[in-house]
Amino acid sequence: MTSAPARTTAAAPPAAPAPWRRRAFAVVKAATTPLLPEDYVDLIDPLRSRTQLRGRVVAVTPETADAVTVTIRPGRGWRGHVPGQYLRVGVDVDGVRLWRAYSITSGPRTDGCVEITVKAISGGAVSTHLVRSLRVGQVVQMEQADGEFVLPPTLPGKMLLVTGGSGITPVMGILRHTVDRLDDVVLLHSAPRPEDVIFADELRALAADGRISLQERHTDVHGMLDTAELDALVPDWRERETFACGPAAMLDALESHWAASELADRLTIEQFRPALAATGEGGTVHFTGLDRDVDCSGSSPILDAGEEAGVLMPSGCRMGICFGCVLPLREGSVRDLRTGEVTTASPGDGVLVQTCISAAAGRCDIDL
Amino acid sequence: MTALQKKDHNPIAHLTREDIESLGRELDAVRASVIETRGARDTAYIRRVIKVQRGLEIASRATLLASRWKPAFVVGTVGLTVSKVLENMEIGHNVMHGQWDWMRDPKIHSTTWEWDNASPADLWKHSHNELHHTYTNVLGRDNDLGYGIMRVDEDQKWVPFYLGQPAWNFINACFFEYGIAAYDLELGKYFAGRKDKAVFKRDATKVLNKIRAQVTKDYVVHPGLALLTGSARRTLAANFTANLARNLWTHSVIMCGHFPEGVETFTKTSIDGETRGDWYLRQMIGSANISGSKAMHIATGNLSYQIEHHLFPDLPSNRYQEIAPQVRDICERYGLQYTSGSLPRQVASAWGKVIRLSLPNHLAARLHRPRRRTPVAPTALPSRIVAVADGRAA
C-alpha cells in the first residue's frame, strides 16, 4: 500500500522564505499588530489561513434517512490523509464551537476534496447539526487527518472487515482507496435494517463484481452478531487480518474472542466514541502537567480543592467574573456551581473552564 | 458621595437581610435567563462587530494613504477613530471579560485576546477584571476610584497635590491608554516599595514591548507606507488624532461609570463577609448608566449599561440593553437609586466632582449643590416581593 502522496510531500519542512519576503512580512506584521495579517485575510478568504485549518463545504449528499456525506474542500495547509484515518471537524452549534471526529470516506479525488460520512445520533449535537443543518458554502474548522486504523505497508493477503452501523465509514475509505489491490476481502456488516446500510449500493455493487465478499446482517431481524457464529459465517477467520469498527459492545466482544483464540495481534480495531465517564457529584481531578490527582467534592470549586492539596493554580476574583483562573479541561466533566450546567470534554478538546466556579462532575483531566 | 456606612441617611438602611438575599436571587434569575438563551444570535453579533471593525480599519488606513487630499484625511481620520473606539470598547474590553468565552472560539477568547492599546491584555485583566470588578468602589481597595492620582470621594484624605487634579485628569484623559498601562503596572505601589521588584521588571518589559509595537504601527509603519503617496505627515497626524480622540472618549465613558453624583462608595471593612446579595447591591448602587441612542451604546462598548455590566460582567454586552428594564425594576421595587443620565450630564457631573474635590472638604462643601433627586420610595414593600419559586423572578 502506498500512502496518499500529499502526506509524504507535506512531511518535508517548508523551505525558509527568501530574506526579502521575511522582511516584507515583518513590516506587514508590524502594521497589523496586535492582530496578525491573517486575521485580516480571514475577512476575505478564511481558507487561506496557514495557522488555522478550515474547509468549505462543497456538497452535502444524503446516504440514508439519517446519514449524509459531506464533501469538504480543505484550506491551505491540508496535508492529505491515509485511508482509514479520521478528521476532527469543528462546527458552531447554537453559537458554541464543538468538535467531533469522523472517518474520511473518500477515495482518491483529483480535486483535493475530502468526504466524511456522518450518521445523526439521537442527542448528538454535532452529528444532528451536520446531517440536518449544514449548508453548502459553509466554512468548518478542521484539524489534520489522524488515526492508526490504516492498512499496513504490506497489504494483507486475506482480510476480514467487521463493521457495525457507522463503523463502515473508515472501512469504506479503505475500500475505495485500495480495493483494486486487495485479493481476498470479506466484509461482515451489521445494520438494523436493509435501508439503514450506509453505502449499500456501492457495497452490493462491489460484491456483485466479485471484488469483496459481503455478508450483510440486519440486526432487527437476525439479532446482534455473536462471535460464536463466526466459524459458520467466515470459516477461515483465523487466517485473516481483521479490521473492525463499530459499537463498543461489538468491539469488546471481538477483542475478547480474538484474545481467547490467541490471535489478538491479528485484530485492529477503531473505536469512535470513547465511553464517556459517567458524570457524578465530585470526582478525581487529574492535573496532567503535574501528573497529580486531587479529590474534589461536588460542591467545592476545583480551584479550592487544588489549592488545598497544595497545587499552585492561577486564580483571580474567585467568583467567576475575572477569568483569571481559566484552564483547559482535557477530558471529563465539570459542573458550573452557579448554574448546575455540566461541561463535558472529549480527549483533546481543551475546553476552557473557570476553575473557581467549577466542581468536578466525575473524573476529569485539567491541563496544568 | 461619602462612604455609604458614614452617611447620615444610609440609602440601604430600609433593607432587611432577607430583602438583600431575595434581591440577590432575583438578579441570579435575570442572569440565568440570559445564559439560557445565549446562542447563535449572539455569536453572529460579535462576529459582525469584529468584521465591521476590521473592515473599517483597513478601509480607513487605505484612505489615509491618499490623505494628501484633504477629504481623504478627514474621512480616514474619522474612520480610524471609530474603528479604534469599537476595537477597545465593544470588542476588546468585553472579550477580555470572558463575555464570549462560551463560544469556545479560540480566536475570540479572553485568554488569547490582545487589544489595540498600550496596556498588555494580561496586566489589564488583573487590575480591571480582578481588582476593580471585585472591589468596586471600596475605598482603599478599588484603585479605579481616582486611579491613585485623584480624590473623588470626601472620605479620601485631602493633600495639596489634589489642587492640580483637574489638570491631571485632563492630561490623563488625553493619554489615557498610557495612564492605564502605568496604572496596570502599579507604578505607585512600586515607588512606595510595595511591589515585588522581579514582578515589576517582568511586567514593565511587557508594557514597554507593547508600547513599542503600538507606537511603531501608528507612528512609523503606516506613515512610512504613506511616504510612497506623499501622505506621510497627514497619516501621522491622523493616527495621533485617532488615538487622542479614542483616549478622550474612553476616559469620558469610564468616568461616567463610577464618578457621577449619586454613586455610592464603601469603607474597606464593609465588605467583610459579604454575601452574593450584598455584592450585587454594592455593584448596583456603586455604578451609573448613560442614556442615549443605540449607536452611543455600541460606541461605549455597552458600558453605558455600567450597572448591568457590574452586576454581570461576563454576560454578552449585546444583552445588557435587554435586561436593563428588569434591573431598573428591581432597583425601584427595593427602593434603590438607579443612577442614569445623558452623556453630557454624566460627564459634567463627573468633572464637577473632580474639580470640587480638588479642594478640602470644607471648601468643597460650598461648591456642592446636590443634584435634585426625587426621593426614592420603595414602590413595593419587601413583603410584596413575590418569592422566586421556580428560580425565576416573578
Side-chain angles (χ1 to χ4, degrees), chain B residues 354-370:
Chain B
V354 167
I355 294 165
R356 178 164 60 81
L357 292 176
S358 66
L359 302 171
N361 281 349
H362 64 279
L363 292 174
R366 293 198 193 169
L367 287 179
H368 189 35
R369 273 175 307 162

Side-chain angles (χ1 to χ4, degrees), chain A residues 129-215:
Chain A
H129 174 83
L130 291 173
V131 172
R132 311 267 176 246
S133 318
L134 197 67
R135 297 286 169 263
V136 169
Q138 241 168 278
V139 171
V140 295
Q141 313 292 317
M142 300 167 63
E143 276 177 9
Q144 299 292 346
D146 202 357
E148 303 297 319
F149 192 68
V150 295
L151 296 185
T154 315
L155 293 181
K158 295 174 92 178
M159 270 173 69
L160 168 61
L161 305 169
V162 187
T163 55
S166 57
I168 186 67
T169 54
V171 164
M172 196 69 227
I174 291 172
L175 284 178
R176 282 172 172 170
H177 274 85
T178 333
V179 72
D180 290 342
R181 289 179 284 126
L182 295 169
D183 300 327
D184 183 352
V185 181
V186 175
L187 169 59
L188 185 51
H189 178 63
S190 303
R193 298 165 305 170
E195 60 268 36
D196 297 322
V197 176
I198 305 174
F199 310 122
D201 293 346
E202 199 174 340
L203 291 172
R204 287 165 201 160
L206 281 174
D209 287 356
R211 290 155 81 187
I212 62 169
S213 151
L214 174 66
Q215 302 210 22

Side-chain angles (χ1 to χ4, degrees), chain B residues 139-379:
Chain B
L139 293 164
R141 308 277 312 247
D142 179 8
N143 287 327
D144 274 31
L145 280 173
Y147 307 112
I149 54 167
M150 289 190 298
R151 179 172 173 262
V152 292
D153 192 281
E154 276 87 350
D155 278 357
Q156 287 169 309
K157 190 174 174 287
W158 185 86
V159 290
F161 171 80
Y162 290 129
L163 284 172
Q165 74 177 21
W168 318 147
N169 198 35
F170 180 70
I171 295 167
N172 187 31
C174 293
F175 300 99
F176 195 46
E177 60 176 318
Y178 300 102
I180 293 287
Y183 170 72
D184 293 345
L185 254 183
E186 304 180 299
L187 273 183
K189 209 169 143 187
Y190 175 70
F191 289 130
R194 284 185 293 118
K195 184 161 172 158
D196 184 73
K197 275 208 169 125
V199 174
F200 177 77
K201 211 172 154 191
R202 185 197 66 198
D203 291 351
T205 311
K206 271 188 205 164
V207 172
L208 289 177
N209 286 341
K210 183 77 195 291
I211 291 178
R212 187 186 309 125
Q214 290 291 114
V215 167
T216 306
K217 169 175 73 163
D218 282 341
Y219 302 125
V220 179
V221 177
H222 285 289
L225 293 171
L227 272 176
L228 303 169
T229 58
S231 302
R233 276 180 55 186
R234 285 264 174 87
T235 301
L236 190 74
N239 277 280
F240 181 77
T241 310
N243 280 328
L244 178 70
R246 185 265 317 266
N247 286 345
L248 289 170
W249 173 254
T250 50
H251 179 266
S252 300
V253 169
I254 284 153
M255 281 231 302
C256 290
H258 303 290
F259 291 9
E261 303 290 353
V263 170
E264 306 291 354
T265 55
F266 306 83
T267 56
K268 214 170 188 171
T269 51
S270 69
I271 59 166
D272 295 340
E274 212 177 37
T275 66
R276 187 158 177 80
D278 291 324
W279 186 80
Y280 273 139
L281 186 61
R282 175 159 59 84
Q283 304 302 327
M284 220 166 182
I285 60 178
S287 311
N289 281 7
I290 312 169
S291 54
S293 66
K294 175 123 191 162
M296 202 273 313
H297 291 306
I298 292 175
T300 64
N302 278 295
L303 292 181
S304 44
Y305 292 104
Q306 188 76 236
I307 298 174
E308 288 72 16
H309 173 61
H310 260 269
L311 290 170
F312 313 114
D314 58 348
L315 289 186
S317 57
N318 59 325
R319 293 298 196 82
Y320 290 148
Q321 179 161 25
E322 188 178 301
I323 58 171
Q326 299 169 48
V327 173
R328 184 189 273 267
D329 174 60
I330 292 173
C331 267
E332 279 169 8
R333 282 192 285 110
Y334 286 83
L336 297 165
Q337 172 89 2
Y338 182 90
T339 310
S340 183
S342 69
L343 184 69
R345 180 174 163 168
Q346 298 294 71
V347 170
S349 173
W351 269 100
K353 186 184 278 183
V354 167
I355 294 165
R356 178 164 60 81
L357 292 176
S358 66
L359 302 171
N361 281 349
H362 64 279
L363 292 174
R366 293 198 193 169
L367 287 179
H368 189 35
R369 273 175 307 162
R371 182 183 285 179
R372 195 180 271 277
R373 242 197 250 166
T374 345
V376 210
T379 55

Side-chain angles (χ1 to χ4, degrees), chain A residues 31 33 39-40 95 97 338, chain B residues 31 43 57 103 107 217 222:
Chain A
T33 188
D39 290 321
Y40 292 94
R97 181 152 307 161
R338 302 168 302 180
Chain B
R31 177 189 164 80
T43 310
E57 185 183 347
M103 288 162 52
K107 284 259 177 191
K217 169 175 73 163
H222 285 289

